[in-house]
Amino acid sequence: MPEESIDHIDFDELNKNAVSQPLVKHIYTADPSAHYLNGKIYIYPSHDIESDIPFDDLGSHFAMEDYHVLSMDSIDSEATDHGIALHVDDVAWAEKQMWAPDAAHKDGTYYLYFPAKKADGIFQIGVAVSDSPTGPFKAQPEAIKGSYSIDPAVFEDEDGSYYLYFGGIWGGQLQKYRNNTYNKDNELPTPNEPALLPIVAKLTDDLLEFAEEPKEIQILDTKGNLLLEADNDRRFFEASWMHKYNGKYYFSYSTGDTHFICYAIGDTPYGPFTYGGRILEPVVGWTSHHSICAIKDKYYLFYHDSSLSRGVTHLRSVKMIEIEHQPDGHIKTISPYTN
């Protein structure tokens, strides 16, 4: 339900009938990255704030300044807000727009990965560390070398390798890059060309840098062809996520301007991935961004919408709902609001 179609919505009725409710209501949260650690659920969202910045297609009005960490003792318990975990003022290289983060854990250390704009207006991805899953986190003095664009998502494979997925078009600046090199004159492909692809890089053992040159990961149709730029209902826009189920790798993402959360299935963390379908139909608000977390023997989708703010697209609230992997490996599509 993009912003232009919300005028007719009865928000009281919609919120009453929604399949899930906001995990917290005292602040606005978005882009939730959820992890099950030490028997608890930890959620690393963006922290949405009011802004007088005019709306534009580059997301300038998403002016987030800090991160909070939420935790839950169980899937049925209330969420606890642990306060500010990292503020842009404490990141030496960053100037503004602390967009969607993710987190990882290794050997007693917790890592928070986040994008932010430098003074030159270019996004990079940084990392901060803590000895607690709730922070506070201390940022490394420089961004990750070779990083760019937005929406970092970390995946720990069963062999102990960690991979960082990232990228987002339009405001996320991915369209300005080819072969990991920025050129301000680069733009999106033409409609009949293959769409831009998300990026992945394996991390070093200390999880602070890339262990290799970032590379594209292919998203294919069932005939083995790359999805085209004009295929807005299926092509990658932003919000990478990876989870594993029954030995298969599930790469999920947002289609952005068509507002779907989709997924593709592959045999390695590098892909290629074959388009599998939709996980989530459109929510209230322009953006859709998610994570998938295994909690005991079930899988849950963490996502956001703007229903609490009655449709204000940059004031979002984190929600969650169980997802179902069907016998053939596909994921049952969720409608976020009952009919």
Side-chain angles (χ1 to χ4, degrees), residues 14-25 303 307-308 317-320:
L14 179 140
N15 287 330
K16 181 176 71 175
N17 293 326
V19 297
S20 62
Q21 297 297 317
L23 296 185
V24 295
K25 296 183 178 181
Y303 65 103
S307 59
L308 183 65
S317 297
V318 167
K319 297 182 170 185
M320 69 175 183

Side-chain angles (χ1 to χ4, degrees), residues 220-250:
L220 310 175
D221 63 21
T222 54
K223 296 180 180 179
N225 300 312
L226 288 168
L227 300 182
L228 300 181
E229 173 62 23
D231 192 353
N232 294 53
D233 285 350
R234 298 191 299 174
R235 64 89 174 86
F236 171 81
F237 189 102
E238 62 186 359
S240 298
W241 190 260
M242 180 68 73
H243 78 281
K244 201 169 183 179
Y245 177 79
N246 277 357
K248 295 287 188 179
Y249 296 83
Y250 286 69

Side-chain angles (χ1 to χ4, degrees), residues 66-141:
D66 61 27
Y67 298 108
H68 288 226
V69 179
L70 310 178
S71 71
M72 300 171 66
D73 290 331
S74 71
I75 204 67
D76 298 316
S77 68
E78 292 187 1
T80 298
D81 174 10
H82 295 273
I84 295 176
L86 180 68
H87 195 282
V88 67
D89 290 345
D90 297 319
V91 183
W93 60 269
E95 181 180 75
K96 61 183 179 180
Q97 290 183 290
M98 303 282 272
W99 284 9
D102 192 18
H105 170 252
K106 183 178 181 180
D107 298 334
T109 300
Y110 299 86
Y111 301 81
L112 183 69
Y113 296 85
F114 60 94
K117 278 185 178 175
K118 301 177 297 180
D120 62 4
I122 304 299
F123 272 110
Q124 273 197 272
I125 295 169
V127 57
V129 298
S130 176
D131 59 5
S132 167
T134 58
F137 288 85
K138 181 177 176 57
Q140 297 294 295

Side-chain angles (χ1 to χ4, degrees), residues 29-96:
T29 53
D31 312 320
S33 294
H35 295 270
Y36 189 56
L37 303 169
N38 309 319
K40 292 183 66 173
I41 304 158
Y42 294 92
I43 306 158
Y44 300 86
S46 303
H47 175 206
D48 284 350
I49 58 174
E50 294 279 7
S51 169
D52 58 4
I53 299 171
F55 286 30
D56 62 29
D57 286 341
L58 300 181
S60 301
H61 48 296
F62 292 93
M64 299 89 95
E65 299 176 345
D66 61 27
Y67 298 108
H68 288 226
V69 179
L70 310 178
S71 71
M72 300 171 66
D73 290 331
S74 71
I75 204 67
D76 298 316
S77 68
E78 292 187 1
T80 298
D81 174 10
H82 295 273
I84 295 176
L86 180 68
H87 195 282
V88 67
D89 290 345
D90 297 319
V91 183
W93 60 269
E95 181 180 75
K96 61 183 179 180

Side-chain angles (χ1 to χ4, degrees), residues 155-163 242-249 267 269 299:
F155 172 69
E156 179 187 358
D157 207 350
E158 293 164 352
D159 65 357
S161 299
Y162 289 75
Y163 301 85
M242 180 68 73
H243 78 281
K244 201 169 183 179
Y245 177 79
N246 277 357
K248 295 287 188 179
Y249 296 83
D267 294 319
Y299 287 76

